[in-house]
């Protein structure tokens, strides 16, 4: 069952009922100011950091779902005996609407709904170069008589630190402050501005208002929720000026509309920072100049439309960088629109702010952000470059890393811990992707601090060397890399031994152990050790390249020796040196990660083990909804394994379909030339291909979720944790670089598709460095192998099109 449809021409998903199984959200904002908005107008807003600079309050654990947003109430008093109150997004009043539509587009959302012949059209977005969210609301009277309406706006301020905001009431109920100007047209939220903050928030409308409220209790009534505000029921704002308690911003506008008449209002929710020495215009009166300047920019409909056009042009441009046209509508839709859009969002947010990542717990993940970069780097390489430097700046001198850092301060967050031994290697992955994309070697020579300490700064290449050396110097009894606190699988806590509830698996116990080893990290080391060696060569350091390759060889051999279980790769060795993910185990006999990653790194390909491993995946881990992370699921808690065995069977890391590593297996299949199977795996978790089961899948049909419940779970097939997942980047890497086969190398683009037999011919446009490549592929029903490659009329050997600076256009013909 579906709850909407894709409108590919508009690049929108159109939701046709507000009653989706879960809130279906969208992200507004591209740089520093962000809002989340659901299909019922729920959501929250922040500047740079969802924890530290939160503008509007969201209620976690909310009942009903999706509680608090930026709401508009329309009160229709045309028929005094039958007044009705409704919202364009249905929530919070939930009056049954006569029509409803929500269109989530790229960086904007649009709502069109109606009740009793009054129509509301709401457009909301964050302009490209401003720190505000603009909402344009048009109300039209389609009645045959005059309509008498009142419009009320409503946002609830968060007192900036979203974590403290929901805990520290003894202080917070006394700190709230506002200023009201222009009779309520503009409301300033200035809590803590008098002391250590130089920023405030505004909510303004481009019209004269008939009243306002800034006290939540005055607007709602102490015992009401946003579904039944007193002020709306009365039809009369109280002009309350908040002092402490819970400040809000609400404006009332009364409307008399003739039949057929429309009126448009523009609401702006903004964030303003003032210079420390220019904070006040009079004692206790904030300097409002920059706020009025911002409001002035969006005073007219023309200005708003122009800002929206800028946003759309921006996306046009970005999506022109990699564009496919094939006979597979759903592939085109994901590749050209939604997958790349999600890559942008994961790049911006890492794992910090979604409906499942509350924005108060996790910041920017070291490994997460490095991987997000893989799917983003072609879009805006400059931002990827800065991100690499930011991430590397939090690395420790021994190569290890804080697991996360705060986006606002860019400093490592020690509350979340360190000692995840895969972290260092991801920095090589991200940097290599950046250099292959851009050819910019200067990044390797940038001077980058360790743990933000400039006095111990070294070049980025030295950082990468520390990453590599970390693995080399942290190996266990089998010559495999030590796992530390965990590797990519945060839940494989082999040194943790947690016996008491409440202990965080992420931080409890030692972060090191001399015995427990990871075959997954070994696979990573083989892949990224080689990529490191290539970077060393580019810098002319052949000795270092050789050293790296010698080390790679050792780990490769260690995997074949101690990491092979007979039919598949072992996952790890625990702290007693017992195998994890082996036929010897009672539960958890096979894990997906080493099968995918070792094979995509090339381990066991020539030995014939890779094909065996992937066959085992197909036989033991595959389901109709995707490939499970392990089998058989753990039915009891294993002290020596940690969190992985803490989840009920079928959920999360305990035998869920953890979407992130499905593309690894799909890529691994392409390494073996298995186009049919690679694509089958791609399709199983691909949002556009599973739109029809939205009632089972529950999460948004236009983006990936972190996890789909596995076969052992009661709710097999149900998605959770949508949006912020490495699945976005890895899937884009898989489809764009391996299945469609356009892979950036240091010397130029390589074209080597691996598609299913019935995929058909396709054409691709790829901007790469300074040039545009138009690539025509004739697949001839084959799954892999390029028979002939012609570039600008000349046939070339191999699959790499040598990059020549200065050549702007490459016309490429590929015959498979
Ligand atoms: C979560 C984390 C990611 C981790 C994965 C597997 O998605 O964000 O860092 O690799 O879980 O545990
Ligand atoms: C838990 C989750 C995992 C996540 C980690 C970090 O271990 O199962 O997916 O990555 O927490 O928050």
């Amino acid at each position: 069952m579906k709850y909407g449809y894709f409108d590919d021409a508009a690049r929108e998903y159109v939701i046709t009922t507000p009653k989706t199984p879960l809130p279906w959200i969208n992200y507004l904002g591209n740089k520093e100011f962000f809002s989340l908005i659901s299909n019922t107008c729920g959501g929250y807003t922040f500047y740079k950091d969802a924890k530290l600079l939160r503008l509007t309050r969201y209620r976690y654990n909310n009942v009903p779902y999706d509680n608090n947003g930026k709401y508009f109430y329309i009160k229709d008093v045309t028929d005094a005996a039958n007044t009705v109150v409704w919202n364009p997004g249905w929530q919070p009043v939930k009056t049954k609407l006569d029509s409803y539509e929500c269109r989530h587009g790229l960086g904007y959302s649009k709502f069109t709904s109606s009740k009793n012949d009054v129509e509301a059209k709401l457009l909301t977005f964050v302009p490209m170069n401003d720190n505000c969210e603009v909402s344009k609301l048009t109300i039209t009277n389609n009645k045959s008589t005059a309509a008498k309406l009142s419009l009320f706006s409503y946002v609830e301020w968060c007192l900036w630190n979203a974590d403290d905001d929901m805990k520290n009431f003894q202080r917070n109920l006394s700190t709230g402050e506002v200023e009201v100007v222009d009779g309520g047209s503009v409301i300033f939220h200035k809590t803590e501005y008098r002391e250590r903050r130089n920023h405030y928030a505004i909510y303004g409308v481009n019209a004269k208002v008939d009243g306002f409220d800034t006290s939540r209790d005055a607007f709602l009534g102490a015992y009401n929720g946003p579904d039944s505000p007193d002020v709306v029921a009365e039809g009369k704002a109280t002009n309350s000026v908040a002092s402490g308690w819970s400040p809000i911003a609400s404006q009332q506008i009364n409307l008399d509309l003739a039949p057929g008449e429309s009126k448009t209002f523009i609401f702006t929710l903004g964030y303003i920072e003032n210079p420390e020495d220019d904070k006040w215009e009079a004692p206790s009166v904030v300097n409002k100049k920059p706020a009025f300047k911002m409001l002035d920019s969006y005073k007219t409909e023309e200005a708003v439309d122009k800002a929206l056009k800028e946003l759309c042009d921006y996306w046009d441009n970005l999506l022109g960088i990699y564009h496919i046209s094939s006979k597979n509508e759903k592939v085109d839709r994901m590749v050209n629109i939604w997958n790349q859009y999600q890559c942008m969002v994961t790049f911006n947010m890492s794992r910090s702010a979604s409906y499942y990542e509350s924005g108060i717990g996790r910041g920017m993940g070291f490994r997460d952000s490095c991987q997000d970069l893989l799917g983003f780097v072609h879009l805006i390489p400059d931002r990827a470059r800065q991100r690499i430097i930011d991430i590397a700046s939090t690395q420790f001198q021994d190569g290890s890393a804080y697991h996360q850092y705060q986006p606002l301060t860019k400093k490592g967050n020690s509350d979340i811990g360190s000692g995840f031994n895969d972290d260092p290697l991801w920095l090589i992955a991200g940097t290599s992707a950046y250099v292959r994309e851009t050819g910019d070697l200067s990044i390797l020579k940038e001077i980058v601090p360790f743990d933000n300490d400039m006095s111990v700064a070294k070049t980025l290449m030295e950082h990468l060397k520390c990453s590599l050396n970390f693995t080399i110097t942290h190996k266990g009894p089998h010559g495999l890399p030590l796992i530390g606190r965990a590797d990519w699988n945060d839940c494989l806590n082999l040194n943790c031994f947690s016996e008491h509830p409440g202990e965080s698996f992420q931080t409890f116990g030692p972060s090191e152990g001399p015995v427990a080893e990871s075959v997954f990290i070994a696979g990573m080391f083989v892949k990224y050790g080689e990529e490191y060696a290539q970077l060393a060569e580019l810098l002319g350091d052949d000795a270092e390249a050789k050293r790296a390759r010698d080390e790679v060889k050792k780990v490769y051999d260690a995997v074949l020796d101690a990491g092979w279980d007979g039919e598949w790769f072992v996952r790890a060795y625990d702290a007693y040196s017992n195998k994890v993910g082996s036929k010897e185990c009672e539960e958890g006999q096979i894990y997906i990660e080493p099968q995918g990653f070792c094979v995509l790194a090339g381990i066991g390909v020539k030995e014939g083990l890779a094909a065996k491993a992937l066959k085992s995946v197909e036989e033991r881990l595959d389901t109709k909804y995707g490939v499970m992370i392990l089998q058989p699921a753990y039915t009891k808690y294993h002290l020596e394994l940690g969190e992985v065995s803490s989840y009920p069977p079928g959920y999360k890391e305990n035998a869920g379909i953890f979407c992130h590593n499905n593309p690894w297996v799909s890529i691994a299949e392409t390494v073996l030339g298995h186009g049919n199977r690679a694509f089958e795996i791609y399709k199983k978790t691909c949002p556009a291909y599973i739109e029809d089961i939205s009632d089972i899948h529950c999460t948004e049909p236009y983006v990936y979720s972190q996890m789909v419940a596995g076969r052992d779970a009661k709710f097999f097939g149900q998605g959770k944790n949508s949006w912020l997942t490495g699945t976005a980047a890895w899937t884009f890497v898989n489809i764009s670089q391996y299945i469609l086969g356009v892979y950036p190398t240091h010397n130029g683009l390589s074209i080597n598709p691996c598609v299913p037999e019935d995929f058909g011919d396709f054409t691709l446009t790829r901007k790469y460095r300074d040039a545009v490549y138009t690539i025509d592929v004739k697949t001839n029903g084959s799954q892999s192998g390029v028979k002939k490659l012609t570039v600008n009329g000349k046939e070339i050997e191999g699959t790499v099109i040598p990059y020549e600076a200065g050549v702007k256009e490459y016309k490429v013909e590929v015959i498979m």
Side-chain angles (χ1 to χ4, degrees), residues 231-252:
V231 159
V232 178
E234 291 296 319
K236 182 126 192 55
T238 72
N239 295 352
S240 57
V241 177
S243 172
W245 303 104
S246 291
I248 60 155
S250 170
Q251 286 112 349
Q252 174 176 5

PDB file of all heavy atoms in Angstrom, residues 231-252:
ATOM      1  N   VAL A 231      -6.629  30.539  23.017  1.00  0.00           N
ATOM      2  CA  VAL A 231      -6.719  31.770  22.232  1.00  0.00           C
ATOM      3  C   VAL A 231      -7.446  31.520  20.910  1.00  0.00           C
ATOM      4  O   VAL A 231      -8.273  32.324  20.475  1.00  0.00           O
ATOM      5  CB  VAL A 231      -5.299  32.359  22.003  1.00  0.00           C
ATOM      6  CG1 VAL A 231      -5.288  33.312  20.809  1.00  0.00           C
ATOM      7  CG2 VAL A 231      -4.820  33.076  23.268  1.00  0.00           C
ATOM      8  N   VAL A 232      -7.189  30.379  20.312  1.00  0.00           N
ATOM      9  CA  VAL A 232      -7.862  30.071  19.043  1.00  0.00           C
ATOM     10  C   VAL A 232      -9.351  29.829  19.299  1.00  0.00           C
ATOM     11  O   VAL A 232     -10.218  30.298  18.556  1.00  0.00           O
ATOM     12  CB  VAL A 232      -7.191  28.858  18.351  1.00  0.00           C
ATOM     13  CG1 VAL A 232      -7.921  28.514  17.059  1.00  0.00           C
ATOM     14  CG2 VAL A 232      -5.708  29.155  18.070  1.00  0.00           C
ATOM     15  N   ALA A 233      -9.631  29.114  20.387  1.00  0.00           N
ATOM     16  CA  ALA A 233     -11.038  28.854  20.718  1.00  0.00           C
ATOM     17  C   ALA A 233     -11.782  30.176  20.961  1.00  0.00           C
ATOM     18  O   ALA A 233     -12.900  30.377  20.471  1.00  0.00           O
ATOM     19  CB  ALA A 233     -11.130  27.965  21.949  1.00  0.00           C
ATOM     20  N   GLU A 234     -11.134  31.075  21.699  1.00  0.00           N
ATOM     21  CA  GLU A 234     -11.743  32.387  21.968  1.00  0.00           C
ATOM     22  C   GLU A 234     -11.778  33.256  20.725  1.00  0.00           C
ATOM     23  O   GLU A 234     -12.581  34.183  20.616  1.00  0.00           O
ATOM     24  CB  GLU A 234     -10.941  33.142  23.042  1.00  0.00           C
ATOM     25  CG  GLU A 234     -11.027  32.562  24.440  1.00  0.00           C
ATOM     26  CD  GLU A 234     -12.449  32.629  24.971  1.00  0.00           C
ATOM     27  OE1 GLU A 234     -13.115  33.658  24.746  1.00  0.00           O
ATOM     28  OE2 GLU A 234     -12.891  31.631  25.583  1.00  0.00           O
ATOM     29  N   GLY A 235     -10.817  33.004  19.828  1.00  0.00           N
ATOM     30  CA  GLY A 235     -10.706  33.844  18.639  1.00  0.00           C
ATOM     31  C   GLY A 235     -10.050  35.178  18.933  1.00  0.00           C
ATOM     32  O   GLY A 235     -10.172  36.130  18.172  1.00  0.00           O
ATOM     33  N   LYS A 236      -9.350  35.241  20.061  1.00  0.00           N
ATOM     34  CA  LYS A 236      -8.778  36.534  20.437  1.00  0.00           C
ATOM     35  C   LYS A 236      -7.443  36.364  21.159  1.00  0.00           C
ATOM     36  O   LYS A 236      -7.360  35.773  22.232  1.00  0.00           O
ATOM     37  CB  LYS A 236      -9.778  37.267  21.348  1.00  0.00           C
ATOM     38  CG  LYS A 236      -9.329  38.634  21.758  1.00  0.00           C
ATOM     39  CD  LYS A 236     -10.337  39.729  21.446  1.00  0.00           C
ATOM     40  CE  LYS A 236      -9.720  41.117  21.598  1.00  0.00           C
ATOM     41  NZ  LYS A 236      -8.513  41.353  20.816  1.00  0.00           N
ATOM     42  N   ALA A 237      -6.388  36.911  20.524  1.00  0.00           N
ATOM     43  CA  ALA A 237      -5.064  36.875  21.144  1.00  0.00           C
ATOM     44  C   ALA A 237      -5.063  37.725  22.407  1.00  0.00           C
ATOM     45  O   ALA A 237      -5.863  38.661  22.525  1.00  0.00           O
ATOM     46  CB  ALA A 237      -4.025  37.408  20.167  1.00  0.00           C
ATOM     47  N   THR A 238      -4.164  37.389  23.341  1.00  0.00           N
ATOM     48  CA  THR A 238      -4.179  38.128  24.614  1.00  0.00           C
ATOM     49  C   THR A 238      -3.061  39.162  24.725  1.00  0.00           C
ATOM     50  O   THR A 238      -2.912  39.812  25.750  1.00  0.00           O
ATOM     51  CB  THR A 238      -4.056  37.165  25.821  1.00  0.00           C
ATOM     52  OG1 THR A 238      -2.715  36.666  25.864  1.00  0.00           O
ATOM     53  CG2 THR A 238      -5.038  36.016  25.722  1.00  0.00           C
ATOM     54  N   ASN A 239      -2.231  39.263  23.686  1.00  0.00           N
ATOM     55  CA  ASN A 239      -1.086  40.182  23.729  1.00  0.00           C
ATOM     56  C   ASN A 239      -0.201  39.931  24.955  1.00  0.00           C
ATOM     57  O   ASN A 239       0.271  40.862  25.612  1.00  0.00           O
ATOM     58  CB  ASN A 239      -1.545  41.647  23.702  1.00  0.00           C
ATOM     59  CG  ASN A 239      -2.235  41.983  22.377  1.00  0.00           C
ATOM     60  OD1 ASN A 239      -2.231  41.165  21.446  1.00  0.00           O
ATOM     61  ND2 ASN A 239      -2.818  43.158  22.282  1.00  0.00           N
ATOM     62  N   SER A 240       0.012  38.689  25.254  1.00  0.00           N
ATOM     63  CA  SER A 240       0.823  38.336  26.429  1.00  0.00           C
ATOM     64  C   SER A 240       2.302  38.546  26.145  1.00  0.00           C
ATOM     65  O   SER A 240       2.779  38.270  25.051  1.00  0.00           O
ATOM     66  CB  SER A 240       0.584  36.862  26.793  1.00  0.00           C
ATOM     67  OG  SER A 240       0.883  36.026  25.683  1.00  0.00           O
ATOM     68  N   VAL A 241       3.012  39.051  27.148  1.00  0.00           N
ATOM     69  CA  VAL A 241       4.458  39.216  27.020  1.00  0.00           C
ATOM     70  C   VAL A 241       5.116  38.279  28.026  1.00  0.00           C
ATOM     71  O   VAL A 241       4.947  38.440  29.234  1.00  0.00           O
ATOM     72  CB  VAL A 241       4.874  40.680  27.270  1.00  0.00           C
ATOM     73  CG1 VAL A 241       6.396  40.811  27.207  1.00  0.00           C
ATOM     74  CG2 VAL A 241       4.234  41.586  26.212  1.00  0.00           C
ATOM     75  N   ALA A 242       5.812  37.293  27.506  1.00  0.00           N
ATOM     76  CA  ALA A 242       6.356  36.243  28.368  1.00  0.00           C
ATOM     77  C   ALA A 242       7.421  36.791  29.293  1.00  0.00           C
ATOM     78  O   ALA A 242       8.185  37.681  28.932  1.00  0.00           O
ATOM     79  CB  ALA A 242       6.944  35.123  27.522  1.00  0.00           C
ATOM     80  N   SER A 243       7.454  36.233  30.495  1.00  0.00           N
ATOM     81  CA  SER A 243       8.535  36.513  31.416  1.00  0.00           C
ATOM     82  C   SER A 243       8.795  35.185  32.106  1.00  0.00           C
ATOM     83  O   SER A 243       8.005  34.729  32.917  1.00  0.00           O
ATOM     84  CB  SER A 243       8.075  37.589  32.405  1.00  0.00           C
ATOM     85  OG  SER A 243       9.051  37.735  33.405  1.00  0.00           O
ATOM     86  N   GLY A 244       9.875  34.526  31.718  1.00  0.00           N
ATOM     87  CA  GLY A 244      10.111  33.176  32.218  1.00  0.00           C
ATOM     88  C   GLY A 244       9.142  32.187  31.591  1.00  0.00           C
ATOM     89  O   GLY A 244       8.577  32.434  30.523  1.00  0.00           O
ATOM     90  N   TRP A 245       8.932  31.075  32.256  1.00  0.00           N
ATOM     91  CA  TRP A 245       8.073  29.987  31.768  1.00  0.00           C
ATOM     92  C   TRP A 245       8.438  29.586  30.347  1.00  0.00           C
ATOM     93  O   TRP A 245       9.605  29.410  30.038  1.00  0.00           O
ATOM     94  CB  TRP A 245       6.587  30.348  31.938  1.00  0.00           C
ATOM     95  CG  TRP A 245       6.275  30.660  33.374  1.00  0.00           C
ATOM     96  CD1 TRP A 245       6.083  31.901  33.915  1.00  0.00           C
ATOM     97  CD2 TRP A 245       6.218  29.722  34.457  1.00  0.00           C
ATOM     98  NE1 TRP A 245       5.890  31.804  35.285  1.00  0.00           N
ATOM     99  CE2 TRP A 245       5.961  30.483  35.646  1.00  0.00           C
ATOM    100  CE3 TRP A 245       6.334  28.332  34.572  1.00  0.00           C
ATOM    101  CZ2 TRP A 245       5.828  29.892  36.900  1.00  0.00           C
ATOM    102  CZ3 TRP A 245       6.201  27.745  35.820  1.00  0.00           C
ATOM    103  CH2 TRP A 245       5.951  28.525  36.968  1.00  0.00           C
ATOM    104  N   SER A 246       7.442  29.485  29.467  1.00  0.00           N
ATOM    105  CA  SER A 246       7.729  28.988  28.118  1.00  0.00           C
ATOM    106  C   SER A 246       7.358  30.016  27.068  1.00  0.00           C
ATOM    107  O   SER A 246       6.187  30.145  26.705  1.00  0.00           O
ATOM    108  CB  SER A 246       6.943  27.706  27.862  1.00  0.00           C
ATOM    109  OG  SER A 246       7.451  26.684  28.657  1.00  0.00           O
ATOM    110  N   PRO A 247       8.342  30.752  26.573  1.00  0.00           N
ATOM    111  CA  PRO A 247       8.038  31.753  25.558  1.00  0.00           C
ATOM    112  C   PRO A 247       7.700  31.124  24.209  1.00  0.00           C
ATOM    113  O   PRO A 247       8.280  30.098  23.826  1.00  0.00           O
ATOM    114  CB  PRO A 247       9.323  32.574  25.453  1.00  0.00           C
ATOM    115  CG  PRO A 247      10.389  31.814  26.129  1.00  0.00           C
ATOM    116  CD  PRO A 247       9.759  30.781  27.002  1.00  0.00           C
ATOM    117  N   ILE A 248       6.783  31.728  23.534  1.00  0.00           N
ATOM    118  CA  ILE A 248       6.380  31.278  22.190  1.00  0.00           C
ATOM    119  C   ILE A 248       6.302  32.507  21.291  1.00  0.00           C
ATOM    120  O   ILE A 248       6.529  33.633  21.736  1.00  0.00           O
ATOM    121  CB  ILE A 248       4.984  30.601  22.202  1.00  0.00           C
ATOM    122  CG1 ILE A 248       3.922  31.597  22.707  1.00  0.00           C
ATOM    123  CG2 ILE A 248       4.995  29.346  23.047  1.00  0.00           C
ATOM    124  CD1 ILE A 248       2.533  31.318  22.224  1.00  0.00           C
ATOM    125  N   ALA A 249       5.949  32.269  20.032  1.00  0.00           N
ATOM    126  CA  ALA A 249       5.597  33.389  19.162  1.00  0.00           C
ATOM    127  C   ALA A 249       4.320  33.019  18.439  1.00  0.00           C
ATOM    128  O   ALA A 249       4.248  31.963  17.803  1.00  0.00           O
ATOM    129  CB  ALA A 249       6.718  33.664  18.160  1.00  0.00           C
ATOM    130  N   SER A 250       3.318  33.875  18.579  1.00  0.00           N
ATOM    131  CA  SER A 250       2.060  33.633  17.869  1.00  0.00           C
ATOM    132  C   SER A 250       1.484  34.973  17.428  1.00  0.00           C
ATOM    133  O   SER A 250       1.519  35.949  18.176  1.00  0.00           O
ATOM    134  CB  SER A 250       1.064  32.922  18.792  1.00  0.00           C
ATOM    135  OG  SER A 250      -0.213  32.890  18.185  1.00  0.00           O
ATOM    136  N   GLN A 251       1.007  34.993  16.205  1.00  0.00           N
ATOM    137  CA  GLN A 251       0.365  36.205  15.700  1.00  0.00           C
ATOM    138  C   GLN A 251      -1.061  35.889  15.253  1.00  0.00           C
ATOM    139  O   GLN A 251      -1.321  34.779  14.775  1.00  0.00           O
ATOM    140  CB  GLN A 251       1.142  36.744  14.471  1.00  0.00           C
ATOM    141  CG  GLN A 251       2.461  37.420  14.817  1.00  0.00           C
ATOM    142  CD  GLN A 251       3.688  36.661  14.348  1.00  0.00           C
ATOM    143  OE1 GLN A 251       3.584  35.507  13.918  1.00  0.00           O
ATOM    144  NE2 GLN A 251       4.853  37.277  14.425  1.00  0.00           N
ATOM    145  N   GLN A 252      -1.928  36.841  15.427  1.00  0.00           N
ATOM    146  CA  GLN A 252      -3.309  36.677  14.938  1.00  0.00           C
ATOM    147  C   GLN A 252      -3.577  37.679  13.822  1.00  0.00           C
ATOM    148  O   GLN A 252      -3.274  38.868  13.959  1.00  0.00           O
ATOM    149  CB  GLN A 252      -4.318  36.920  16.073  1.00  0.00           C
ATOM    150  CG  GLN A 252      -5.761  36.907  15.565  1.00  0.00           C
ATOM    151  CD  GLN A 252      -6.801  37.046  16.672  1.00  0.00           C
ATOM    152  OE1 GLN A 252      -6.458  37.244  17.837  1.00  0.00           O
ATOM    153  NE2 GLN A 252      -8.069  36.940  16.292  1.00  0.00           N
TER     154      GLN A 252
END
